Amino acid sequence: MTSPSGRSPSGRRPSIGTVLLVMTVAALVLPLSGLWILRLYESALIRQTESELIAQAGVVAAFYRDAWRRAGGKAEDLGPPVDPAWTRPPGFDPPWTPRFASLDLAEDPILPPAPDPVPAMASDPSAAIAGSTLGPILREAQRITLAGMRVTDRQGVVVASTGEEMGLSLARQDEVRRALAGEAASVLRERTSHDRISYRSGSDSPAVPDRSRSVRVFTAQPVLDDGRVVGVVVVSRTPRSIADTLYGKRWHLAGLAVLLLASVGVLARLGTVAIARPLRAVTGLAKRTADGERGVMVPLPRPVVREVAELSDALTRMARTLEERADYIRDFAAHVSHEFKTPLTTIRGTVELLRDHMDSMPPEERDRFLANMDAEAGRLSRLVRRLLELARADVMTVTEDAVTDAVPVAARLAERHGADVSLPASLPVAMGRDSLESVLANLIENARHHAGADARVTVTLRAEGERAILRIADDGPGISPANADRVFVPFFTTARDRSGTGLGLTIARGLVEAHGGSIALLPSERGALFEVALRRVLSLR
């Protein structure tokens, strides 16, 4: 489908659905991506805390192992070496034993608070001596790291702590139990009241509840000497909350909010320019057309959206069709009134003349006037019949099963009007019998009226590919070039003195085009030559 200017209204323009989808996705993705980033950042805070605790545990473990050795501890007095899979990470050769953060707030469970420590037997003397030297260092470091630190011997008994668990056993705590077996472990646990160490990024930072504030990160690092567990370092801390982080980034977030609002405004403006404004323009032109203005409905220049371009082009073509139909009806009404006026005037004048002079009028003159009235009445009857045929042709609905063998129809009508024929044995066409007879009758009668009674009329029919070609030719005077372009115009005739109505060819064209065919006046060396092309059917149903 192309517009009057030759451009395709669809082209490569996006559809309304595409534009709205892009706008909606763009409007939603920005804030949703912000929430997603916050969620990732919350997990990142957890993992950052774990990384810091792992580093602190590694340093404390190194200090404790050294203090334990100086206190007389010997590796050969310990149990068997731990599983090498826990001491040799894949991809790293001894002596490197790195440990990386692995906690994920979205996937790892939040365990209940750690079980209370239980009383235990006296710890290893070497471990107790090493712990006593390490305790003050842990408490001093806690002021900066805000982390709770505990060091146990190889039985899980606390020998150094920033809290009050000295001499108690942590062996019931899952991560400690795993570390005593040689496996480093990190877990998330619910916070308890004695875990709460307040810290703020600002003096008035709001306490906004969030998931990270309700958990505490625990990491247990086994202290190894020659592959054997000397003890365990347990470090825990509540991660920095998103509320504190967001408060520190409040101006950046305010800028992001302004950017989002500006983006929504730009998207709304885009929707107005791409959709709303063109639709209002099309609606305005359609209203002016509905109010009776002519020629105002034109395609919109450079529409952005494909559907708007198609709507504008369709309304333009519809308005042009309605204007052409209105012109046709007006001209048709004028022709009909003119065609009716002449015989009605003659009949009315004859009636008045007979009323005034009937008694004094000679019989032969009275018969002549009556014959004139009868002729004009017959002309009116033919005109009415032709108009009905034209109306039926204009509103005809063609069915798919309309199939007729054109050969017997053409042979019968040609014989009735004395025309010569050249016909095949059979040639089915996609047209009903009544319609085909009307087309042939109108064409043959037209040839007889204009070529004269003595003219030779020939009807030929042949198959040509998927079309059936019907030709009606005569050897009369033909049609002048000036009249050739007007032969299918309603009421145009050069045989009005022979009761021609000028509707026969118009009716034939309407019937042929309704059935998907075509009719044309072809150049001819002598007389007139009309060609009708109809869709050929391979066989009768």
Side-chain angles (χ1 to χ4, degrees), residues 343 347 371-385 499 501:
I347 293 174
N372 289 340
M373 288 179 60
D374 183 63
E376 294 300 331
R379 181 179 176 183
L380 284 175
S381 178
R382 286 191 299 273
L383 185 59
V384 170
R385 186 174 64 254
S499 301
T501 61

Side-chain angles (χ1 to χ4, degrees), residues 403-487:
V403 178
T404 304
D405 190 350
V407 172
V409 176
R412 185 175 66 257
L413 290 175
E415 182 180 1
R416 180 189 303 172
H417 294 278
D420 298 333
V421 295
S422 175
L423 307 173
S426 176
L427 186 54
V429 296
M431 179 178 278
R433 179 177 297 275
D434 293 341
S435 298
L436 182 60
E437 288 181 353
S438 180
V439 170
L440 280 169
N442 279 308
L443 290 174
I444 296 175
E445 288 176 2
N446 180 77
R448 285 296 183 201
H449 275 124
H450 294 83
D454 298 331
R456 180 186 178 188
V457 178
T458 304
V459 178
T460 61
L461 184 63
R462 73 175 189 278
E464 191 173 287
E466 297 182 353
R467 311 291 284 180
I469 305 301
L470 172 67
R471 286 188 172 184
I472 294 88
D474 63 69
D475 58 358
I479 301 174
S480 66
N483 292 333
D485 296 333
R486 304 172 61 193
V487 292

Side-chain angles (χ1 to χ4, degrees), residues 276-472:
R277 184 183 296 175
L279 288 179
R280 285 197 297 267
V282 171
T283 302
L285 293 177
K287 289 180 178 179
R288 292 173 60 186
T289 302
D291 291 337
E293 294 188 49
R294 297 173 62 90
V296 298
M297 196 71 209
V298 294
L300 292 178
R302 299 182 300 277
V304 177
V305 179
R306 183 178 69 238
E307 281 83 354
V308 174
E310 292 178 348
L311 176 63
S312 175
D313 184 75
L315 288 177
T316 299
R317 292 188 293 107
M318 182 182 70
R320 183 179 297 111
T321 300
L322 291 176
E323 291 175 2
E324 292 174 353
R325 177 63 65 177
D327 292 339
Y328 172 79
I329 293 175
R330 184 179 59 253
D331 294 341
F332 186 81
H335 284 299
V336 169
S337 63
H338 179 269
E339 293 295 326
F340 272 73
K341 183 178 180 180
T342 300
L344 287 175
T345 301
T346 301
I347 293 174
R348 185 173 181 179
T350 303
V351 169
E352 291 179 355
L353 183 63
L354 291 175
R355 182 185 296 121
D356 295 337
H357 304 284
M358 175 70 76
D359 296 335
S360 60
M361 186 179 295
E364 61 275 6
E365 189 174 357
R366 185 177 61 242
D367 293 340
R368 181 170 58 85
F369 282 120
L370 291 174
N372 289 340
M373 288 179 60
D374 183 63
E376 294 300 331
R379 181 179 176 183
L380 284 175
S381 178
R382 286 191 299 273
L383 185 59
V384 170
R385 186 174 64 254
R386 289 294 194 181
L387 289 174
L388 291 176
E389 292 177 2
L390 180 61
R392 283 195 293 267
D394 286 341
V395 300
M396 172 170 288
T397 301
V398 180
T399 59
E400 293 294 331
D401 57 351
V403 178
T404 304
D405 190 350
V407 172
V409 176
R412 185 175 66 257
L413 290 175
E415 182 180 1
R416 180 189 303 172
H417 294 278
D420 298 333
V421 295
S422 175
L423 307 173
S426 176
L427 186 54
V429 296
M431 179 178 278
R433 179 177 297 275
D434 293 341
S435 298
L436 182 60
E437 288 181 353
S438 180
V439 170
L440 280 169
N442 279 308
L443 290 174
I444 296 175
E445 288 176 2
N446 180 77
R448 285 296 183 201
H449 275 124
H450 294 83
D454 298 331
R456 180 186 178 188
V457 178
T458 304
V459 178
T460 61
L461 184 63
R462 73 175 189 278
E464 191 173 287
E466 297 182 353
R467 311 291 284 180
I469 305 301
L470 172 67
R471 286 188 172 184
I472 294 88

